[in-house]
Every structure is written in C-alpha cells, then in structure tokens.
C-alpha cells in the first residue's frame, strides 16, 4: 500500500518568514495530493490540493509543488502569520482508474509554530 | 447543512466495554470513512464505505466494526474496548466514488470524538 513520509515533525519560524513542509510517497499510482490544516482541538480542514497533471498550485500565501519523478511534494507558506500556527498533514490518494476506493494515506503531521 | 456530525464528543470507557461512535452527514456523500488520530502518527484509516451496504477495512481495522445501512449514517462500533484504543476518532465524507467521476474531491471531517479507555 501507499506510504507517506512527512518532514519535519516540528517547525518554528519567525512571523513574516517562509515555511516549507515536505512529503514523499511510495505508490506511483497516486495522483491526488491534498494538504490539511488542523488547529488545536479542531478537525482537519483542506487548505490546498494538487493533481498529478500539474507541477505547482498557488492560493494567496500558500503553494504546493509536486515532483512526480522523485515522488515528493511540498507545502510552501510565505509571509507567515501567528494564525498559521497549527498541525499540517499531507496526504496521497490513488486514481480511480487504479481500482481503489477514495482512500487517503496521511503523513504523520508537522507542528508549525509562528513566533511573533 | 450541518455537514459531518459526530457524537459523543467525549467518552470514557472501561476495558472490555463496548460502544458505538455515531457519524452522520447531510451532504448526500457516497464515501465515508473513520480515522483514528494518535500523537505523532497522523490519521490512520480504520474502515471506509463507498456507499450504502458496502464497507471495507482500512489500515487499522482490528477491534472495530462498521455498517452502512443508509447513505447518511456510518457508525463505528468498538466490540471490547482496550486501552490501545484510546485516541481521537474522526469521521469523514466525500462526494463521489464513481469511476466516471474525473474530479478529485475534498474529504470533509467531523468534529471528532475523544475516547479514553481505562
């Protein structure tokens, strides 16, 4: 099955700096890669996702890049703010044509702390 | 829409007790799933369902049962609770599972149930 590794497990940055979180996946049939943000005591919520037919996607201060050859994808947050402090999870999912259901395999999470 | 709802929010059990965690969604989603979240281990899939009457095992199914008699509800049953099942449990749903569907859909999570087994 799919295995997703996420690094680092904790990340502290100064407010205004950039943060980068990296994930690698093992299943070459995976073609959908979402990122979820989970604030303390809350549910995970989707912040951005990317499909395997594109290499980069941006949404304001957040961007995700994908390298299919190397099987890794990264989350980039620019101009970080204290409200960006949370746990971030990456995930991977195989395509429907591969015969599997819509199962997400999650990374172990990164605790991001933005210091004021 | 209420989205995905879960009850209870908190539960304390004694070893060997059984209970059912409830999950419901009002978005007419076909796909529903249960995850457990443990520190440093991310979200691990317990069971999932691609539609009413269809369920399958995920990564960590032992000790749990599910059923899907309606599109809306997907309860998770703990048969004989063990301390290793102390965790936060999240239910999630997603719109489409059809092979014809080419779009990729967000999973919507419920608020979670914090379970402690003594």
């Amino acid at each position: 099955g799919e295995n997703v590794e996420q690094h680092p497990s904790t990340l502290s940055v100064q407010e205004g700096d950039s943060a980068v979180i990296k994930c690698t996946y093992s299943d070459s049939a995976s073609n959908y890669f979402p990122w979820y943000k989970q604030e303390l005591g809350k549910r995970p919520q989707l912040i951005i996702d990317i499909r395997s037919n594109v290499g980069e996607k941006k949404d304001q201060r957040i961007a995700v890049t994908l390298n299919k050859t190397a099987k890794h994808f990264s989350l980039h947050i620019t101009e970080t703010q204290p409200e960006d402090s949370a746990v971030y999870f990456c995930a991977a999912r195989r395509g429907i044509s591969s015969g599997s259901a819509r199962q997400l395999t999650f990374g172990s999470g990164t605790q991001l702390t933005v210091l004021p | 829409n209420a989205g995905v709802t879960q009850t209870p929010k908190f539960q304390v059990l004694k070893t060997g007790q059984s209970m059912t965690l409830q999950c419901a969604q009002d978005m007419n989603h076909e796909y529903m799933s249960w995850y457990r979240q443990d520190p440093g281990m991310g979200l691990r899939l317990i069971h999932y369902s691609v539609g009413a009457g269809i369920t399958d095992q995920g990564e960590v199914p032992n000790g749990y049962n599910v059923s899907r008699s309606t599109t809306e509800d997907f309860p998770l049953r703990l048969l004989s609770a063990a301390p290793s099942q102390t965790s936060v449990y999240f239910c999630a749903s997603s719109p489409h599972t059809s092979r014809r569907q080419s779009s990729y859909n967000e999973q919507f999570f419920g608020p979670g149930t914090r379970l402690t087994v003594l």
Side-chain angles (χ1 to χ4, degrees), chain A residues 68-88:
Chain A
K68 286 172 53 180
T69 303
K71 293 184 191 171
H72 67 71
F73 56 111
S74 300
L75 178 70
H76 305 254
I77 306 174
T78 58
E79 301 173 20
T80 54
Q81 301 167 4
E83 52 264 38
D84 294 329
S85 294
V87 178
Y88 291 81

Side-chain angles (χ1 to χ4, degrees), chain A residues 31-32 36 38 42-44 46 51 89 93 96-97 99 101-104 106-108, chain B residues 31 35 37 40 42-43 45 48 90 96 98-99 101 103-107 109-111:
Chain A
N31 62 1
Y32 173 65
Y36 284 80
Q38 186 180 29
K42 301 289 182 63
R43 72 190 79 186
L46 181 73
R51 306 175 189 180
F89 292 98
R93 185 176 70 198
I96 295 173
S97 60
R102 304 183 77 76
Q103 301 175 44
L104 285 175
F106 285 85
S108 55
Chain B
Y31 182 80
Y35 295 89
Q37 184 175 29
L43 292 148
L45 183 65
Y48 66 95
F90 286 100
H96 299 290
S98 168
R99 288 177 180 267
Q101 181 57 256
S103 63
Y104 299 91
N105 303 106
E106 174 182 355
Q107 282 203 26
F109 285 85

Side-chain angles (χ1 to χ4, degrees), chain B residues 5-85:
Chain B
T5 58
Q6 291 182 239
T7 56
K9 290 186 178 180
F10 302 94
Q11 183 70 50
V12 178
L13 293 177
K14 294 181 179 179
T15 297
Q17 287 185 314
S18 62
M19 79 158 295
T20 300
L21 307 185
Q22 301 292 342
C23 174
Q25 52 90 11
D26 60 359
M27 297 175 282
N28 200 31
H29 287 174
E30 293 178 315
Y31 182 80
M32 296 185 74
S33 54
W34 277 101
Y35 295 89
R36 60 178 289 173
Q37 184 175 29
D38 302 293
M41 301 188 74
L43 292 148
R44 292 183 293 167
L45 183 65
I46 304 172
H47 285 285
Y48 66 95
S49 169
V50 299
I54 306 170
T55 64
D56 207 345
Q57 296 180 351
E59 179 186 356
V60 288
N62 291 343
Y64 308 95
N65 272 357
V66 292
S67 60
R68 185 92 179 272
S69 57
T70 67
T71 300
E72 294 78 19
D73 300 300
F74 191 43
L76 178 72
R77 279 182 288 277
L78 279 70
L79 309 174
S80 178
S84 61
Q85 293 179 304

Side-chain angles (χ1 to χ4, degrees), chain A residues 47-67:
Chain A
I47 55 172
I48 195 167
D49 56 14
I50 191 168
R51 306 175 189 180
S52 59
N53 58 346
V54 298
E56 183 176 3
K57 184 178 179 180
K58 287 184 178 180
D59 183 4
Q60 299 181 358
R61 297 186 296 108
I62 295 173
V64 57
T65 58
L66 171 65
N67 183 326

